[in-house]
Amino acid sequence: MMLGVPVYVALRLGTFTTLLKTKTLINHTPSTKILILTSLHHLKRTISVSATTMSRPRVLITRRDVPQKALDIINDKCEVDIWHESFPIPRDELLKKISGKDAILCCVTEKIDKDVLDAAGPNLKVIGTMSVGHDHLNLEEIKRRGIKVGYTPGILTDATAELTVALLLATSRRMFEAHTEILNGGWKKSVWSPLWMNGWGLLGSTVGIFGLGRIGQGVLRRLQGFGVKRFIYSGHFPRKEGEEMGAEYVSFDNLLAESDFIIVTCALNDETREIFDDKAFAKMKNSAIIVNTSRGGVIHQDALIKALKTKQIRAAGLDVMVPEPLPTDHELITLPNCTLIPHIGSAEATTREAMATLTATNIVAGLEGHPMPAALC
């Protein structure tokens, strides 16, 4: 059955109430009226759903492998645009895709600065970063624009603390070097040689922690069973938690001079950027080992390379470096006394799912005008 032109126009315009009063509908047979009214009610529902869909906030997700639980939270409330490649979203694509978005779910690989915020435009209301660190965010500019930011504190503490201890042991006991000796035939040549592949243990040592926050405390707790003689730490101020765990607060210079092992778990900011420089390495013991699982920028990398090559310090273990990813021909990779892993501190399955879920919840709460579970600003 073909509807008359007035009815068709009314359907197209969605003027449901007006159509009920038109002569065109009144003059139709009862059976035709039923068909028309059914069509109109269906259209009304469609228009309502479409309007709802069109009003859904738009969210850019910069990673394709975000855990599904988090995606479901955002998909339920938002229109989602995901970067589907296996590599981080390129800068030009980020600038293009963020245009007109209401929110973004990003990682530490995405630098959210003034250019990105300008490209996003005034619609951008919420940033959810799947991280604790936020040095990739221009917070001053973000706050100036009134944009809400959610992050993931606390969730990755245990995973990163575990990884830090693993990296400390791998570095001090030369595990990567030893593995290489299996592959290159060195084991066969040196089997059971008394001094071959000797490492350095924690028993009776002094362990210094730079930055006794959640992760630093988690590392300290895990190392208490290794027979460490003395724990010291440095930071802005003494912490009650440090005292409770038997750690002594010292100056940065004393931390450098007295530690057999230095573990870096501080935040990266203007005060800590490249704080481990030539002068700092010169104050450390020649037998000292440094492990960094915070941010690569805390260590002046050229100074570290020099210290490792000249034996100013014994060894280094890095989960973070500059740049990331580190080029395969970088000099750090060539140093046998430098243990490198690719920024996997929080790379534990349940931890990453919890981080993603909190990030998604932060985004939805921010878009709906509710308090974020974990708001940075």
Side-chain angles (χ1 to χ4, degrees), residues 139-194:
L139 286 182
E140 183 179 344
E141 185 66 23
I142 289 169
K143 290 177 181 177
R144 190 182 70 79
R145 300 179 186 226
I147 298 170
K148 300 175 183 177
V149 179
Y151 69 139
T152 60
I155 290 177
L156 50 71
T157 298
D158 290 328
T160 306
E162 289 175 1
L163 190 281
T164 303
V165 173
L167 181 57
L168 172 62
L169 294 173
T171 304
S172 63
R173 296 301 301 271
R174 304 171 69 184
M175 291 182 185
F176 285 23
E177 286 182 78
H179 178 71
T180 301
E181 291 296 295
I182 294 176
L183 303 178
N184 65 20
W187 189 13
K188 184 177 181 179
K189 297 175 184 177
S190 305
V191 62
W192 298 121
S193 175

Side-chain angles (χ1 to χ4, degrees), residues 213-255:
R214 292 186 184 95
I215 295 172
Q217 293 169 34
V219 172
L220 197 159
R221 282 194 297 271
R222 285 162 174 79
L223 291 179
Q224 285 176 331
F226 282 85
V228 174
K229 181 179 180 180
R230 183 181 177 217
F231 287 103
I232 59 177
Y233 71 98
S234 184
H236 282 119
F237 48 81
R239 287 180 173 268
K240 180 182 178 182
E241 297 89 347
E243 181 182 348
E244 291 172 346
M245 290 187 284
E248 179 186 349
Y249 178 74
V250 298
S251 68
F252 182 61
D253 282 349
N254 284 349
L255 184 90

Side-chain angles (χ1 to χ4, degrees), residues 22 24 39 79 86 130 136 158 162 179-180 229 241 324:
T22 63
T24 306
S39 297
E79 180 185 336
S86 58
M130 195 172 149
H136 58 299
D158 290 328
E162 289 175 1
H179 178 71
T180 301
K229 181 179 180 180
E241 297 89 347
E324 293 183 2

